[in-house]
């Protein structure tokens, strides 16, 4: 084989390698999710104003997903988030007139193990219950839409979802407006031997919780609600429990970056009046 032919083959191989590499890079760009895109200028300001990154609970699953409008810890074993955390500010509640079209529920592209398909809920008798409510993210179309990832839902009885749970969500919005922003952590209590739905065995919690933290006028206060998964006409204060109680049954440490002494005092507190009348 002469030298010219060898050189021609060599350069052809190099060119082919570069061409495959470029195609691979192009495919990677095309497969980017919405979360790989840069946020708009307006969303950037929102992200800068949200400090809940400093107040995240611990994760028992080690799979923490950071979306634009909320953060979650996904439990593959239960096919849902063990918690969803976000900050709700007063300024974010003034967008009820934003009549965004409700999108279809879709899998969360950021969950490496794959979030549960919405079809697990079909004909199950349960609602797709939002953990971070869509109504809390109406100030941004993209943030509103990302609340429809299936990583942000849990099976909820319809009368519970539309009843006591909705009342609690409304109360959280009231406090967020009153105190100009609170940190919210929500989830189902994912115990062993729970009922499941669908082909992927999505766990149906027997209890749901909300843990709230406020830093109003330089003073922290904390409150937690543990609500049985059934509708109730009882007043919300009857579901208030110490944060310690929820930590014991979930294995989650809420707001671990707080000063240890302050955290101990706050987590033992279950004073509803401290939130309602200050």
């Amino acid at each position: 084989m002469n030298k010219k032919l060898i050189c021609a083959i060599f350069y052809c191989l190099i060119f082919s390698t570069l061409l495959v590499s470029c195609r691979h890079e192009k495919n990677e760009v095309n497969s980017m999710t919405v979360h790989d895109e840069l946020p708009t200028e307006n969303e950037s300001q929102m992200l800068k104003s949200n400090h809940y990154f400093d107040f995240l609970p611990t994760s028992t699953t080690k799979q923490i997903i950071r979306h634009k409008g909320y953060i979650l810890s996904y439990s593959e074993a239960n096919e849902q988030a063990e918690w969803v955390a976000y900050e709700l500010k007063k300024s974010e509640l003034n967008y009820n007139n934003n009549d965004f079209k409700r999108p279809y529920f879709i899998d969360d592209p950021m969950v490496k193990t794959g979030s549960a398909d919405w079809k697990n809920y079909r004909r199950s008798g349960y609602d797709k219950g939002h953990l971070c409510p869509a109504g809390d993210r109406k100030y941004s179309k993209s943030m509103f839409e990302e609340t429809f990832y299936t990583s942000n839902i849990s099976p909820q009885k319809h009368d519970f979802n539309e009843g006591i749970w909705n009342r609690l969500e409304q109360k959280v919005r009231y406090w967020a407006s009153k105190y100009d922003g609170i940190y919210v952590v929500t989830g189902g209590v994912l115990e062993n031997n729970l009922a499941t739905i669908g082909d992927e065995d999505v766990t149906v919690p027997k209890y749901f919780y909300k843990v709230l933290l406020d830093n109003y006028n330089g003073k922290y206060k904390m409150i937690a609600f543990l609500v049985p998964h059934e509708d109730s006409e009882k007043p919300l204060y009857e579901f208030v429990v110490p944060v310690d109680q929820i930590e014991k049954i979930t294995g989650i440490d809420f707001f671990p970056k707080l000063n240890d002494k302050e955290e101990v005092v706050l987590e033992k507190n279950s004073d509803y009046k401290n939130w309602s009348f200050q």
Side-chain angles (χ1 to χ4, degrees):
M1 187 178 295
N2 61 46
K3 291 183 179 180
K4 290 184 178 180
L5 182 58
I6 292 174
C7 289
I9 294 173
F10 176 75
Y11 285 115
C12 284
L13 289 172
I14 292 177
F15 179 79
S16 298
T17 302
L18 290 173
L19 182 61
V20 169
S21 176
C22 289
R23 286 177 177 174
H24 177 68
E25 290 178 1
K26 182 179 180 181
N27 287 338
E28 285 187 338
V29 171
N30 288 339
S31 66
M32 289 169 67
T33 69
V34 66
H35 301 284
D36 297 309
E37 299 172 1
L38 292 175
T40 65
E41 182 178 352
N42 189 36
E43 289 172 347
S44 294
Q45 293 302 317
M46 295 173 186
L47 290 171
K48 289 178 182 178
S49 67
N50 284 331
H51 305 290
Y52 57 81
F53 298 98
D54 297 327
F55 293 96
L56 292 182
T58 58
S59 170
T60 70
T61 68
K62 310 305 179 187
Q63 188 173 189
I64 294 180
I65 310 298
R66 294 175 179 246
H67 291 304
K68 291 178 182 178
Y70 61 90
I71 302 174
L72 64 88
S73 172
Y74 195 77
S75 172
E76 177 62 26
N78 296 281
E79 289 291 5
Q80 64 194 274
E82 65 172 345
W83 54 255
V84 172
Y86 61 100
E87 183 182 11
L88 184 59
K89 300 176 71 66
K90 181 178 182 179
S91 60
E92 297 167 354
L93 296 171
N94 299 325
Y95 293 85
N96 287 331
N97 291 330
N98 282 350
D99 190 22
F100 297 137
K101 182 180 178 181
R102 287 173 66 91
Y104 293 109
F105 284 93
I106 60 172
D107 295 356
D108 188 333
M110 296 186 71
V111 176
K112 294 180 180 178
T113 56
S115 62
D117 192 285
W118 68 268
K119 292 179 182 177
N120 288 283
Y121 290 77
R122 189 166 54 187
R123 292 189 293 274
S124 69
Y126 291 92
D127 287 358
K128 305 174 192 73
H130 281 82
L131 297 177
C132 175
D136 287 356
R137 287 293 173 259
K138 294 188 74 173
Y139 59 89
S140 161
K141 188 174 187 291
S142 65
M143 293 189 188
F144 174 81
E145 290 178 344
E146 71 181 10
T147 66
F148 288 84
Y149 287 141
T150 56
S151 58
N152 183 46
I153 60 176
S154 181
Q156 291 185 343
K157 296 177 182 177
H158 181 73
D159 58 353
F160 170 85
N161 187 21
E162 295 293 324
I164 181 67
W165 194 245
N166 180 58
R167 281 200 286 136
L168 180 54
E169 289 177 343
Q170 296 293 340
K171 178 59 75 172
V172 170
R173 291 181 186 122
Y174 168 76
W175 282 331
S177 178
K178 181 176 181 180
Y179 301 121
D180 196 17
I182 57 177
Y183 302 97
V184 185
V185 184
T186 300
V189 178
L190 304 179
E191 307 167 289
N192 294 325
N193 303 316
L194 291 173
T196 61
I197 61 170
D199 294 337
E200 295 179 89
D201 295 326
V202 181
T203 297
V204 181
K206 291 182 179 178
Y207 293 88
F208 286 88
Y209 67 83
K210 282 189 183 289
V211 180
L212 312 178
L213 177 71
D214 174 57
N215 181 16
Y216 187 63
N217 290 333
K219 293 183 179 180
Y220 285 110
K221 62 176 179 288
M222 191 183 295
I223 193 170
F225 296 83
L226 184 62
V227 188
H229 189 184
E230 57 189 22
D231 192 24
S232 174
E233 297 299 324
K234 293 180 180 179
L236 291 173
Y237 64 77
E238 292 199 19
F239 301 101
V240 175
V241 299
V243 177
D244 280 343
Q245 182 176 335
I246 300 179
E247 289 186 333
K248 288 177 182 178
I249 61 178
T250 61
I252 299 167
D253 183 5
F254 295 93
F255 308 116
K257 289 190 177 182
L258 289 175
N259 175 277
D260 287 342
K261 291 183 178 179
E262 188 173 30
E263 183 182 7
V264 169
V265 174
L266 289 170
E267 290 182 350
K268 291 184 181 299
N269 180 53
S270 57
D271 187 0
Y272 184 84
K273 291 182 180 179
N274 188 39
W275 279 72
S276 293
F277 297 110
Q278 278 195 352

